[in-house]
Amino acid sequence: MNPMEHGVALLRAGRFHEAVLQFGAALRESPLAVEPRLGLSQACIGLGDGWAATAWLSDACRAAPQRPDLWRELARVLAAQQRDAELGPLLQAALSLHPDDPPLLHARADLYLRGHDYAQSLPNYVRLYELQPRDRVVLLHLGYCLEQVGDVEGAATRYREAIALEPDFLEAHIDLAGVLWRLEDFGGALAHAQKAVALAPGHAHAQRILGTALLNLNRLDDAEGHLRRALELRPEFELAELDLAFAHLLRGELREGWALYARRWRDAQRLQRPAFYDPAREWEGPAAQPLAGKRVAVYAEQGLGDAVQFSRYLPWLQRQGATVVASVQPALAALIEHSFEGVQCLTEQRRFEVDCHVALMDLPLHHGTTLETLPADVPYLRTTMEKKEAWRERLALWDGRLKVGLAWAGSRAQVNNNNRSMRLSNFSVLFEMAGVQCFSLQQGDAGRFTDIKVATERLVDLTREWADFTDSAAMLDALDLVITVDTAIAHLAGAMAKPVWVMLAPNADWRWMLEREDSPWYPTMRLFRRGVGEERAAQVARIAQALGDRLHKPGRLAL
């Protein structure tokens, strides 16, 4: 028996030390041979020496770079040792030699997927889809990457293809249910969620996605049952807890909702604390930690609208004797400082020493906010008199007409944006109304929602003159009415006590609750809801009717 054969036999017998000696002898006999290097790698793995194993595999790849199986094995061993920093460059080198090798493409796609780098993972799955269009795992992961980079329609297509290949593919039904509601196909989302639960009633994600589908249909009691079942199956399931919080908040059960909403921080993939966060310094509320004489930093965590809505709690902290520092989006800093005397904002140039810190959206919990105790005194945001006068003069050209500001789309990164946003063409009827002058409040690229060009005299756009939210607020102050979808402009107008009409999606955000035409958060706000399956044109028609009524009552503006 030659050394190579002897080494293989010893390897199979688990006699790894002896196998190393035999493979070493075989390598001395044939210095360019690959098989002894593979044998040495396998023996080292048996001995628990992963570093030596990868060294021998690397040597084998250098000896025979034309063999993709060697690169695959090296990638497998590196992945098993969680050496991702080395795995990326290794796969880059391997795929430069073997660009269409499916296992290597899988390895690189999975590497990026594990690191939540969906944009980098996506082209690998796209190529795998071209090579293996009937691979259900490729379809599932390709759909997921498309979903994460914002191509929800493409994701739904891939999930449907996976289900067509395997009708009882549980994960594909769950994922498809999770995207269809974002495309306003609430019935489709419900059907696939029900299928997932039928396939696996003991699966926590299936129960949760059914709860989500029912929540988007405003069937709160049914949703709660499935969300609680998901939590029984998987205690502390953060997504189920968050949806359950939304169910309570939609009902107006604020105490229960805030308590559950406070658990959102367990979902570290979607929410991150600021760099200065220290668990030992997070404020736990007035009963546990009185604030008299303390400096407290309040940090915004989510969108601009959330920061505007919950900044109302800053004076409450001040009334407890706290000095308040705010960490908010830079565009909001000047408005916050001007609106709340004594509040300073954290900037790159300005740092503060504080005693404790707290998330802005945890303040309702600490305040004990209910519908009866909700702090709804408006206005609580105001811009400078200088800017107010400048913008009133800027808009004086249109005096004599009803000045109406319009925002038709929200941030494309927001998960419900497809449902809440409108196409600009939906508002054509408003542009033609005699006595009305429309102004764009749409800042940033609204993408496909800006589907027509409107003549400048019909829709005046001055948003390029906004430097920050003090300018936005000053322009809003000069308007008679704001009409907007559920975005930051709605909150800003409400916080300024401006008349504001908000168009809501069928699955409106929790803060607007159900069925109400008013908002307890903003006394000057009127809500226009769109029902499930209702055309946007019908929703806008109600807006146009209300606006026509206003024009015929020149003495006042109907809220």
Side-chain angles (χ1 to χ4, degrees):
M1 185 182 296
N2 62 43
M4 189 67 207
E5 293 173 342
H6 196 186
V8 170
L10 290 167
L11 190 66
R12 289 172 179 166
R15 295 162 63 180
F16 303 120
H17 284 288
E18 297 169 78
V20 167
L21 296 175
Q22 292 300 318
F23 288 133
L27 187 60
R28 286 191 293 273
E29 288 182 0
S30 304
L32 300 180
V34 169
E35 299 310 318
R37 290 174 167 84
L38 280 175
L40 283 163
S41 171
Q42 292 167 0
C44 289
I45 289 173
L47 291 169
D49 190 347
W51 290 91
T54 53
W56 283 116
L57 278 170
S58 297
D59 196 38
C61 289
R62 284 191 292 271
Q66 74 282 2
R67 285 181 53 178
D69 61 307
L70 301 177
W71 296 97
R72 295 172 198 157
E73 179 63 12
L74 178 54
R76 186 192 67 78
V77 172
L78 285 172
Q81 297 176 53
Q82 299 182 337
R83 292 163 62 180
D84 287 354
E86 298 165 72
L87 182 55
L90 178 277
L91 289 168
Q92 181 67 29
L95 283 163
S96 68
L97 296 169
H98 309 284
D100 288 337
D101 184 76
L104 291 172
L105 285 166
H106 267 291
R108 186 163 67 177
D110 291 347
L111 171 67
Y112 290 128
L113 194 62
R114 288 197 304 275
H116 309 299
D117 190 344
Y118 306 110
Q120 290 273 37
S121 187
L122 181 58
N124 295 281
Y125 281 121
V126 168
R127 184 57 185 147
L128 282 166
Y129 176 67
E130 294 167 350
L131 296 169
Q132 301 173 327
R134 296 182 61 80
D135 186 312
R136 69 175 201 140
V137 173
V138 169
L139 287 165
L140 188 75
H141 289 170
L142 174 55
Y144 187 72
C145 288
L146 288 167
E147 179 184 345
Q148 298 306 310
V149 300
D151 185 358
V152 183
E153 293 91 343
T157 299
R158 299 288 88 82
Y159 294 146
R160 285 192 174 103
E161 288 181 29
I163 291 169
L165 285 172
E166 185 178 324
D168 290 344
F169 191 177
L170 173 66
E171 289 80 5
H173 284 289
I174 291 173
D175 287 353
L176 183 56
V179 296
L180 286 180
W181 69 264
R182 295 171 60 184
L183 298 170
E184 211 163 335
D185 183 1
F186 302 113
L190 178 62
H192 285 282
Q194 288 171 328
K195 176 66 173 178
V197 169
L199 288 169
H203 195 290
H205 281 275
Q207 291 286 350
R208 179 259 165 177
I209 204 63
L210 180 51
T212 303
L214 291 162
L215 189 64
N216 280 297
L217 286 164
N218 300 321
R219 292 170 53 181
L220 302 188
D221 291 344
D222 293 336
E224 182 173 347
H226 289 283
L227 295 170
R228 292 197 180 280
R229 177 60 180 146
L231 288 166
E232 289 173 3
L233 294 166
R234 181 180 166 185
E236 298 188 354
F237 185 3
E238 60 274 6
L239 293 176
E241 287 178 333
L242 191 59
D243 281 346
L244 189 56
F246 293 153
H248 282 296
L249 293 168
L250 277 164
R251 284 199 195 101
E253 299 165 354
L254 301 191
R255 285 188 186 275
E256 298 88 343
W258 302 136
L260 281 164
Y261 193 63
R263 303 180 192 178
R264 67 195 179 282
W265 294 106
R266 288 209 292 265
D267 188 1
Q269 183 180 340
R270 291 171 177 81
L271 276 181
Q272 292 186 339
R273 303 275 195 178
F276 58 75
Y277 174 72
D278 177 355
R281 292 199 177 194
E282 186 72 356
W283 186 53
E284 297 179 359
Q289 295 170 281
L291 286 177
K294 302 291 186 181
R295 293 175 65 86
V296 57
V298 180
Y299 53 91
E301 62 191 77
Q302 298 181 43
L304 289 164
D306 298 301
V308 169
Q309 180 178 3
F310 292 100
S311 65
R312 71 183 67 218
Y313 286 94
L314 300 182
W316 172 65
L317 297 174
Q318 291 177 314
R319 288 195 295 272
Q320 295 178 62
T323 299
V324 177
V325 171
S327 174
V328 298
Q329 295 89 337
L332 276 175
L335 183 64
I336 294 293
E337 289 192 346
H338 181 75
S339 300
F340 302 110
E341 185 178 355
V343 173
Q344 292 183 291
C345 289
L346 187 72
T347 66
E348 290 184 1
Q349 295 76 33
R350 187 192 290 165
R351 293 288 184 267
F352 299 95
E353 290 292 328
V354 298
D355 299 293
C356 56
H357 48 58
V358 62
L360 187 60
M361 295 180 72
D362 281 336
L363 292 180
L365 172 66
H366 298 317
H367 176 267
T369 298
T370 66
L371 290 178
E372 293 71 34
T373 63
L374 194 153
D377 291 337
V378 293
Y380 58 86
L381 292 183
R382 53 188 61 82
T383 190
T384 66
M385 185 58 66
E386 179 184 8
K387 287 196 173 184
K388 284 175 66 171
E389 292 173 354
W391 275 94
R392 286 197 174 274
E393 183 178 343
R394 184 79 173 82
L395 269 61
L397 178 64
W398 296 277
D399 284 354
R401 303 182 211 175
L402 190 72
K403 301 186 187 80
V404 177
L406 186 66
W408 57 92
S411 167
R412 287 188 280 177
Q414 206 268 357
V415 69
N416 201 39
N417 192 53
N418 183 70
N419 297 332
R420 68 175 179 168
S421 294
M422 310 282 281
R423 294 185 185 276
L424 183 56
S425 59
N426 293 136
F427 298 100
S428 295
V429 63
L430 303 188
F431 305 142
E432 305 300 325
M433 293 183 73
V436 172
Q437 179 59 58
C438 292
F439 294 85
S440 173
L441 302 176
Q442 187 67 47
Q443 195 171 34
D445 181 14
R448 61 190 175 87
F449 296 106
T450 305
D451 61 331
I452 60 170
K453 284 198 73 171
V454 182
T456 302
E457 62 271 16
R458 298 288 187 185
L459 181 66
V460 178
D461 187 357
L462 303 175
T463 59
R464 287 181 292 276
E465 299 178 24
W466 294 354
D468 57 31
F469 267 73
T470 59
D471 289 302
S472 311
M475 181 175 170
L476 262 63
D477 185 75
L479 298 174
D480 298 305
L481 173 65
V482 172
I483 299 175
T484 177
V485 298
D486 178 9
T487 188
I489 289 294
H491 293 281
L492 179 60
M496 294 175 61
K498 292 295 295 184
V500 52
W501 295 352
V502 183
M503 294 168 288
L504 298 179
N507 61 332
D509 193 72
W510 60 265
R511 69 201 76 208
W512 312 124
M513 297 186 287
L514 298 180
E515 299 179 354
R516 297 180 66 140
E517 295 183 1
D518 66 334
S519 169
W521 295 95
Y522 301 111
T524 62
M525 182 176 286
R526 181 177 176 184
L527 304 177
F528 289 78
R529 298 178 181 271
R530 186 170 75 252
V532 174
E534 184 181 13
E535 295 293 332
R536 283 169 166 79
Q539 188 178 23
V540 175
R542 294 197 297 277
I543 289 274
Q545 179 64 51
L547 197 54
D549 292 344
R550 162 61 181 90
L551 290 168
H552 290 99
K553 298 176 183 176
R556 61 190 176 88
L557 180 63
L559 294 177

